[in-house]
Amino acid sequence: MKFLLLLAQHDTDFRAKELIAIAEMEKIELNLENYKEDSPFVEVDLPSEDEARRLVQRSFLTRGIYRILAQGSSMDEVHESNKKNLAVYDEFMNKSFKVEFNCYQGTRSKESQLTEINNLGYTNLNGRISLKNPEVRFVFLEDYDQYNPTPKYIWLATLVSSTARSVIDIYDLKKRKHVGTTSFEAELALVTTNMAQIRKGDIVYDPFSGTGSFPIAAAYHGAYVFASDIDRRPLRNYGLNFAQYNTSKNFLDSLEMDFTHDAFQSRLKFDAIICDPPYGIRERLVVCGAAKPERFIGKEHILVDNELSHRRRDYIATKKPVELSTILQNLLDFAATRLNVGRRLAFWLPVEDRDVETTKIPLHTDLEFKYVSVQKFSKWERWLLTYEKRPHGDKGPEIPISLTDDFREKYYTRYRGQK
Amino acid sequence: MKLLTTNFVQCAVKSCSSSSNCFPLHFTECELVHEDLEFDEDFIKNVMVKIDWPALLSVTRDIGNNSLPEEKPNIESCDEQVLRDLHLVLLETQIKDGKMICKNCDHLYHIKNTIPNFLLPPHLA
Ligand SMILES: C[S@@+](CC[C@H](N)C(=O)[O-])C[C@H]1O[C@@H](n2cnc3c(N)ncnc32)[C@H](O)[C@@H]1O
Ligand SMILES: [Zn+2]
């Protein structure tokens, strides 16, 4: 069966990969050879409407999937092709329906729309017209070149399924109770959960959770989440957000913890690890320990009110700066041993002056690199890297982390200097 | 911190990780709170497979709860009430304030306002 995918026309580098990730988890064979970066339309072949539905139901960057009835480079061609295929209308014959237009980079006047709708008379549809709640939605999808009044291509199709796009608005940071400077935009946090193939009942971990943007997104799918951060402050109101989205049961715990000295037992395996590691710009990039150890010699014996100071409830652990590459290497090593086989790590990285085509993506022998997607800003980029835990004994190549050491420095000399 | 979590955390000091004494931690002076949470049978069954029962018994005894049986219930054959009881113990019972001590190195960790603090002082990091 031929279907038409209608995609969002932004963050384009994430759209195909999101669909591929979903197709893999739903075991749907998906061929995206017709996919174009600069178009929201993709024709795909799928066995049935069931696969079509499962492909888009949890997609955040797809607007809808349509079953193609007729198509062509002009309205005449569409009607011509439609007339050759009238048998398909049998199943819609007595259903209530509605006809809509969806024009990309163009518009069609109300009068012209009505003409085309009336032109469909030959289909002999008997059902009642229902504008509010039709059983079948027929849609003319029209692809225009900008500033050209006539479309270059038209499909006539029925809507098979809407997508999870409406969820983005519900999770919008502007409406969220507990946010901070590090909160991650809802749309791409949700997309991250698809790259990581997070599903109901999974146990998911965000080791740099801050205000919880990723755990909250994972809970949307019904996953159960652990979160930790070296900074206690953002963790304090964590529960509020889960309560707001009715996912309180999915929030297991948030821990004040240095990821490089984590307390999780290695027998606890995660179904996904998703995060936005610290870059040292909006937040501190630190681990437990003393920057000047000589100053701390003997301090473990200090008594306050007859109590060793580091055992007191109000003790504040000293922290020292660390390289981002050390944190990232820790993250890959951790994922390699703590993920269940076949499950995923997805994390974000800020990058500057790098070409994704020529950059050596870091590799861990026990993790298969799946994809990198690039979000572009005017002066820098943010990459989302996705890996999958290999089966035991299956070893791949190793490439140490090298692509980020200088990001923080560059950022500071360049942008701070300008201010 | 939920009792579920106590079953998956050990002393964060690296040199303790090879010792069998670093888990479970010893809990003292704990103030408990109860939070009503929706019961999810599939999740409880799934998580029970992962639970180290003797470790859970050790922690529940530490906090003065002796309601759990000596033997780990067989979740495939038990009735729903048993699962609901486990839901109550593992997920709804939370430590609001308290102390956790490593039985290997004797380091003391605090739980403050339900958030456990596993940060280490310089001499242990
Ligand atoms: C980019 S922010 C992530 C923000 C998060 N996605 C949110 O929704 O707010 C990185 C976080 O890592 C934390 N962090 C820095 N060093 C850490 C460490 N060694 N272990 C754990 N967390 C750390 C910071 O406190 C910060 O909250
Ligand atoms: Zn210890």
Side-chain angles (χ1 to χ4, degrees), chain A residues 101-166:
Chain A
F101 279 78
N102 197 327
C103 308
Y104 175 64
Q105 297 196 133
T107 49
R108 183 180 284 277
S109 70
K110 282 274 168 279
E111 301 82 68
S112 169
Q113 291 192 9
L114 246 134
T115 313
E116 297 310 334
I117 292 171
N118 288 330
N119 280 347
L120 284 175
Y122 58 82
T123 56
N124 290 324
L125 288 169
N126 266 335
R128 176 174 64 82
I129 292 180
S130 161
L131 297 183
K132 278 235 174 88
N133 210 356
E135 286 167 275
V136 191
R137 262 171 215 271
F138 295 97
V139 187
F140 285 99
L141 296 120
E142 301 192 301
D143 192 7
Y144 291 74
D145 275 330
Q146 236 174 343
Y147 311 122
N148 192 336
T150 44
K152 60 178 173 186
Y153 207 78
I154 307 167
W155 293 267
L156 173 58
T158 57
L159 177 67
V160 176
S161 174
S162 57
T163 67
R165 248 193 111 60
S166 55

Side-chain angles (χ1 to χ4, degrees), chain A residues 60-245:
Chain A
F60 300 102
L61 293 173
T62 308
R63 296 182 182 277
I65 191 161
Y66 301 82
R67 182 172 144 199
I68 301 174
L69 303 175
Q71 60 194 98
S73 325
S74 67
M75 271 298 174
D76 288 345
E77 270 186 47
V78 172
H79 286 296
E80 212 172 294
S81 106
N82 200 25
K83 280 175 190 163
K84 287 193 192 124
N85 195 18
L86 284 178
V88 298
Y89 284 86
D90 288 351
E91 62 176 285
F92 310 127
M93 202 46 82
N94 296 312
K95 296 203 166 130
S96 66
F97 71 97
K98 177 182 180 181
V99 186
E100 301 169 342
F101 279 78
N102 197 327
C103 308
Y104 175 64
Q105 297 196 133
T107 49
R108 183 180 284 277
S109 70
K110 282 274 168 279
E111 301 82 68
S112 169
Q113 291 192 9
L114 246 134
T115 313
E116 297 310 334
I117 292 171
N118 288 330
N119 280 347
L120 284 175
Y122 58 82
T123 56
N124 290 324
L125 288 169
N126 266 335
R128 176 174 64 82
I129 292 180
S130 161
L131 297 183
K132 278 235 174 88
N133 210 356
E135 286 167 275
V136 191
R137 262 171 215 271
F138 295 97
V139 187
F140 285 99
L141 296 120
E142 301 192 301
D143 192 7
Y144 291 74
D145 275 330
Q146 236 174 343
Y147 311 122
N148 192 336
T150 44
K152 60 178 173 186
Y153 207 78
I154 307 167
W155 293 267
L156 173 58
T158 57
L159 177 67
V160 176
S161 174
S162 57
T163 67
R165 248 193 111 60
S166 55
V167 175
I168 298 169
D169 187 48
I170 301 172
Y171 282 75
D172 191 345
L173 292 184
K174 288 193 217 78
K175 303 177 189 166
R176 192 171 296 173
K177 293 218 172 90
H178 170 52
V179 291
T181 50
T182 59
S183 296
F184 201 99
E185 58 164 290
E187 180 162 13
L188 287 181
L190 287 162
V191 169
T192 308
T193 65
N194 276 338
M195 301 299 194
Q197 302 184 326
I198 290 169
R199 31 190 143 195
K200 186 169 185 287
D202 279 355
I203 296 184
V204 175
Y205 176 40
D206 179 349
F208 309 104
S209 98
T211 58
S213 310
F214 293 102
I216 289 161
Y220 160 74
H221 297 285
Y224 285 78
V225 297
F226 280 115
S228 65
D229 201 290
I230 200 166
D231 185 353
R232 177 187 187 82
R233 286 165 300 173
L235 302 178
R236 280 187 306 218
N237 293 315
Y238 225 81
L240 282 181
N241 288 334
F242 290 89
Q244 177 179 355
Y245 302 119

Side-chain angles (χ1 to χ4, degrees), chain A residues 259 266 269-270 273 328-345 363-368 387-395:
Chain A
F259 179 62
S266 58
K269 298 287 185 270
F270 299 104
I273 298 170
L328 294 179
Q329 195 58 55
N330 255 274
L331 181 59
L332 290 182
D333 293 343
F334 184 90
T337 51
R338 310 293 181 89
L339 276 175
N340 280 317
V341 168
R343 303 311 307 269
R344 291 184 171 189
L345 161 71
L363 294 178
H364 189 288
T365 52
D366 296 336
L367 300 173
E368 182 195 348
Y387 298 82
E388 185 171 297
K389 162 83 171 157
R390 292 178 188 276
H392 295 296
D394 182 4
K395 297 279 175 195

